[in-house]
Each structure stands twice: as C-alpha cells, then as structure tokens.
Amino acid sequence: MSAPTTAALSSALAIRTPWKLILAYLPMLLLTAMMMTGGRPISPDPLEWIPLAISFLFFNILFFLMLRTGFTDRYRVILFSTMAFLFVIGFIANLIEMRGSMALSESAMAQGETPFCHMVIPVTLIPAALTRTIIFPGHLLGGFAPIAGMVALWIGASLALGRGFCSWGCFYGGLEDGFSRLLKKPLIRRIGRHWTYLPYAILLAVVLLSAATLSPAYCEWLCPFKTVTEYNEVNNFRTLLQAVIMVALFAGLVVVLPILTRKRTQCGLFCPFGAFQSFTNKVSAYDIRIDRTKCVDCGKCAQVCPTFSMDADSISRGGTRLSCCRCGKCVDACPKQAISFHIKGTEAGASPKWSRLLFLYPAFLFLAVFGGSMVQWGLYRILLLLSTGSMVK
Amino acid sequence: MRGLLLGLASGTACLASCAPALTPFILAQGQSLGHNFRLLAQFLLGRLAGYLVFAILAWSAGLALGAGRIGHLVPIGTVYILLGGLLALYGCLPARETCAAGLATRLQARLTGSHSVVMPVLLGFLTGVNLCPPFLLALTEAARAGSLAGSLWFFATFFLGTSLFFIPFPLAGLLNRHGAVRLVARLTSGVLGVYYLILGVSMLY
C-alpha cells in the first residue's frame, strides 16, 4: 500500500459535516465582528469601513478554511505574515505623521514617548521587581502603546497560549515567518543544537545589563526590529554603532537566514523574549503531543519545525522542546497524523479534533483581535496612499 | 566608617554592576558550595586589588586636579575592551578538554582549570576598576581623604561594605548541575563579552 499524502491525512482533522462546521464557525464570526468593530456603529468614511470589511472577511475566510480543511499553519502563516507586514506599514506611517521621522530623539525618550512593545517585558519586569523602577522610557498608562496595557495583554495571552504568543500574536514574528516560506527547500540544513540555547543566554545577558545600567539594553543595542519601526537618532559614533548592529541583525536573522534555512532564525536562535516566553509553556493549558504508537520516527516534524523545537530526543519523549510556539506546522506535516494539539491533563491523542478546536478558538481570537487592528491600520495607510498620494495626513 | 556605610548603602548597585561579569562565570564554573565560595573569594580579591589601585589614583588625582575631574582620567573604554575580551574568550573556549596540545586547551587550563585563579581574579580586577555610580561617589570621597592611607582605608572599608551583598552568589553556581545551564552561561559570557567590547570601542571615540 502506498503511503498516504500529508494533505489527505491532515484533512482527517477537517470538519466535514455542514451543521458541525456552522456550529464551530458561527461563534468566531460573531466574536470577531464584535471585537473588530468594538461594538460601535460602522463609520461611513470609506477609509475606515473598507479596511474593517476587508480585514473581517480576510480573517474569517481563513478561519473557515482552517476548520474546513483541517490545516492550521497553512492559513495561520498567511494571517500572521500579513499582520506583521501591515503593522510595519501602519507603524512607520504613524511615526512619520506624529514625529516627522522614524528616529526617536533623546528628548522624546526623556518625555516618555517611546511606544512599549512586548520584546522588552522580561528586561523590564526583573529590574522592576528588584528595584521598583520601570527602566523603559514609555507611558505606564495612557498615551500610545502604554506599558501597563501591553503587560496586561501579555499576561492574558501567555496564560492562555504560552509561547503560542510567538506564533499567534507577535507582530514581529510574522516577518521572518513570511520570509522563511519564500524558498521551497532550505539551502542551509544543519544548525548546531547548541545555538538553540543562545536566546536564553541573550535573555540572561540583557536582564543582567538592564539591571546594571537601569536602561533597556536590548532596545539600545540588540533589537533587530528597530530597523523597521523606530530607532535611536543617529548623532554620534555610539548611536551609529547601535544602528549598524540592529540593521545587520535584521538583515541576517529576519530576512536572509529565514530564507536560506526555512526557519524562524530570529525567534529560534536569538529572541530573548521568546526564551522568556518559553517558560510560560509550563503554565498554559495546551501543548503539542506525539502519539508514540502512531509515530514512525520519520523526523518530518523536526525538519519542518520553524523554531528548532523538535528533535530526536523530544520526539522519543512524545512531545516538543520547551521552545515550542504552537504554530501547528508539525501537526499539518505529520504523515501519520501522530501529532496533535493537546489539552494538559487529558489523554494524549484522544479527540484530536476537539483539542485542536479548543486551542484554535483562543489562539485565533487573539490573532484576530490583536492582529485585526494592525491589518486595518496598515490597509488604512495603503488606501490613504492610493486616494491622496501620501500615507500620512 | 564612612566607606563602610557608603558600601552598605550602595551595595545593590555595585552588585548589579558586577553581576554581568560574575553570574555567567559562577554558573559555568560552579561545583560544590565550597568551590563556589573559593571562586567568589578570588573574584573579590581581584576586585579589592582594583579598588586599591583606584584608591592610589584617587589620592594622587585629588592632589593634582581636585575630586571633580577624576572620572576623566580613567580610560574606561579600555577597561571595557579588556573585560569584554576576557568574557568573550571565556565564552569561546571549549567547555570540555579537546586536544591536549591545542592552544584552546592550554588557554582553557590557564583560565578555567579548577585550580586556576587567573580568570576570577582578572574578572574581579576589571570590574573593580570600572566606574559604577556608587564607585564614583566613593572615588570623590577618597580624593578628599587628604592622605594615601586615608584613601586606601576608605576604599578598603567601601569594599567590605559592598562585598556583603555578594555572599549569595555561590548559591547560583549550584544551578549548573544541568549541562544546558553551563552551556547557557558560557554563551552569556560570550554575548556580554561582545557587548563590553563594542561599548568600550564606542567610548574611545
């Protein structure tokens, strides 16, 4: 008997019965409608309702396909990457509209006008716990992207999804996830296992440095995403060095290496937030399990895992490494349907459809709500460009 | 007495300042609690040497220039480059012995062998001659001491006050029973080494 194809087997997770499909789909349709509109009447301004309508349809069509086909990662990556690229467009246009430049001046920092992002949560939390000082130059409450709002969002998402945050909510991860899909086959296949510990080392280093200098060392020196968001104004040798390092990290880890390896190299080999987030996998209700009675040790899951979270050792133990991002790529790829989303405390491999659905609901809702506004934001800027010739007002 | 009180008051800041150099080293090298305390003692010895060098500098600079300008005399960028180089080298050295005749193995034995004192003393010395904020304060106070003995005494008591905060450090070394922790500590040392190297270079311009 010939080996069944991945596509045919993955569709075993598909919901085929029409009434079951409607029952599974309808609540998400209503929830996303409510969350994306914020319960407010829809604005008659085409620059507002068109992005809203497009993003609503875009998210819901892809969720429908997830349910109907049984594939998770195949459709998640489309949403995730779109969110990231449109976030960059929206964020840069917003910065230019507000400040006239992507550069962050020292006076803006001194006035606490730096938008807070989740990447600095670990380096902010530890000095805050030790010294009761918030070392990030942003607003605690109020203003744009305040610290308290982002931390609250992160706690909620982490409790629900663990490091799934990195595959369903991180507006940076989508960039490299998108780039990693450009080639059909990787040109670089072997990356030493010891490099997968580098994110933990960078986490420890930036936490120690932030506590020593009482400044967000990661933002100052190492954040690759400064390249496409905001960066320190280059006005001396030190800021020039910082800019060169950040651009090099972005080009290498977010663009070139993901293309060559088909992996999320920034997430898997560098990101200190990802390393910190890995520990939240211990408290979230979900994980990925391998049914050892079905597994034939073909290694396909380890081969496709974008964050180096599966290896022979973890497969033999019937699970993933701590760094698993719950993207679902291994679940889609497994030719024996041995891998499934799993709810802790339940039997491995029992009701994989239900387990997947119970994971998909919070994960997708988080992506739709968090990412939906970013997609609208980016689309609004594109429409503005098309209608007025400029992305900024 | 004023040195001791200043050390006690600003010990956490001193600890935070030295932690990037000491934490990865203790995590990677640590064995038994006794061994870890020995490493800490060697580190503190190096730090004391750094402090005393500064005490002499502070006294002589205080005579020549006045306390306010002492900070400008210190080539901090160079110290950071040396510290960065040492940490980066430590991070790059193989965790296990490889070829007995190889340069890396000989360097490893010199720097990180279980009986070697070079690495902890050097780390302590290079962090000791760094200018963290409480240290600058101590420097200014020592410069006002008027005599070399007074300056040395001030720094020795300041050292004593800050050293109390280092006592829990050997416990961190007990975490390294897992091989992954030792690997992470080595990598951290390398990352911090690169950071201090770049920081030092940026300070020279």
Side-chain angles (χ1 to χ4, degrees), chain A residues 156-209:
Chain A
S158 299
L159 287 175
L161 307 174
R163 202 181 165 182
F165 184 97
C166 300
S167 280
W168 296 86
C170 177
F171 41 79
Y172 298 131
L175 294 174
E176 54 185 309
D177 211 351
F179 284 120
S180 73
R181 314 282 171 138
L182 291 181
L183 289 185
K184 282 245 171 197
K185 287 184 176 173
L187 297 178
I188 298 174
R189 288 176 193 274
R190 295 192 65 173
I191 293 174
R193 191 176 191 265
H194 57 281
W195 290 115
T196 61
Y197 290 96
L198 188 59
Y200 300 96
I202 292 174
L203 173 67
L204 182 57
V206 294
V207 165
L208 290 170
L209 287 175

Side-chain angles (χ1 to χ4, degrees), chain A residues 237-253:
Chain A
F237 181 66
R238 184 187 163 110
T239 47
L240 177 68
L241 258 181
Q242 290 169 336
V244 168
I245 291 169
M246 288 164 184
V247 171
L249 286 173
F250 182 81
L253 290 168

Side-chain angles (χ1 to χ4, degrees), chain B residues 31-71:
Chain B
Q31 293 169 16
S32 64
L33 203 56
H35 179 80
N36 298 348
F37 267 108
R38 206 181 74 204
L39 289 177
L40 176 67
Q42 289 162 352
F43 176 85
L44 290 177
L45 197 70
R47 195 163 146 265
L48 177 64
Y51 275 27
L52 295 181
V53 166
F54 249 107
I56 297 167
L57 273 178
W59 172 74
S60 52
L63 283 184
L65 296 167
R69 293 182 60 191
I70 295 161

Side-chain angles (χ1 to χ4, degrees), chain B residues 117-143:
Chain B
V117 297
V118 178
M119 186 75 186
V121 170
L122 267 180
L123 278 180
F125 181 78
L126 290 172
T127 51
V129 293
N130 265 324
L131 286 184
C132 63
F135 196 77
L136 268 177
L137 202 61
L139 202 60
T140 313
E141 283 290 317

Side-chain angles (χ1 to χ4, degrees), chain A residues 197 201 209 211-212 221 237-238, chain B residues 16 183 187-188 192 195 198-199 205:
Chain A
Y197 290 96
L209 287 175
W221 289 98
F237 181 66
R238 184 187 163 110
Chain B
L183 176 59
L187 290 168
T188 307
L192 287 166
Y195 168 81
I198 293 171
L199 188 67
Y205 287 90

Side-chain angles (χ1 to χ4, degrees), chain A residues 124-178:
Chain A
T124 310
L125 282 184
I126 294 170
L130 294 176
T131 63
R132 281 177 286 174
T133 307
I134 302 284
I135 60 168
F136 190 84
H139 293 285
L140 188 60
L141 290 166
F144 177 66
I147 297 169
M150 187 58 84
V151 171
L153 193 69
W154 165 74
I155 291 172
S158 299
L159 287 175
L161 307 174
R163 202 181 165 182
F165 184 97
C166 300
S167 280
W168 296 86
C170 177
F171 41 79
Y172 298 131
L175 294 174
E176 54 185 309
D177 211 351

